[in-house]
């Protein structure tokens, strides 16, 4: 049971880091791209492609997780 607390703490920390990084990208990246002179529609295309890639990656990793179980990283 003690090991479960450590895993939950690690999950919480990793989710927090991912939330901060994705929040920065969702706000900072469009501002940076607009400063470079890229139009709003092109920024939308970039985010659309990124979301499509993320969806495909999530489906693939979910399939791998279901097939082989959780893999240890590191």
């Amino acid at each position: 049971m003690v090991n479960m607390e450590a895993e939950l703490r690690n999950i919480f920390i990793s989710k927090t880091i991912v939330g901060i990084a994705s929040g920065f990208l969702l706000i900072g990246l469009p501002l940076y791209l607009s400063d470079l002179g890229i139009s709003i529609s092109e920024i939308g295309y970039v985010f659309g492609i990124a979301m499509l890639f993320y969806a495909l990656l999530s489906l693939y990793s979910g399939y791998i997780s279901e097939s082989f179980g959780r893999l240890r990283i590191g």
Side-chain angles (χ1 to χ4, degrees):
M1 192 63 114
V2 174
N3 193 18
M4 182 77 136
E5 288 180 15
E7 286 185 19
L8 289 175
R9 184 181 64 244
N10 291 339
I11 289 172
F12 177 74
I13 291 170
S14 64
K15 287 286 200 177
T16 303
I17 291 171
V18 167
I20 291 170
S22 64
F24 173 75
L25 286 176
L26 286 175
I27 294 171
L29 187 61
L31 293 174
Y32 174 70
L33 292 176
S34 70
D35 277 350
L36 291 178
I38 297 175
S39 69
I40 299 287
S41 62
E42 290 174 336
I43 293 172
Y45 291 138
V46 168
F47 273 92
I49 291 170
M51 289 299 120
L52 179 64
F53 179 74
Y54 178 73
L56 293 175
L57 188 63
S58 295
L59 287 172
Y60 178 72
S61 62
Y63 170 75
I64 295 296
S65 177
E66 288 291 325
S67 297
F68 302 108
R70 188 178 78 172
L71 300 176
R72 298 265 181 211
I73 297 175

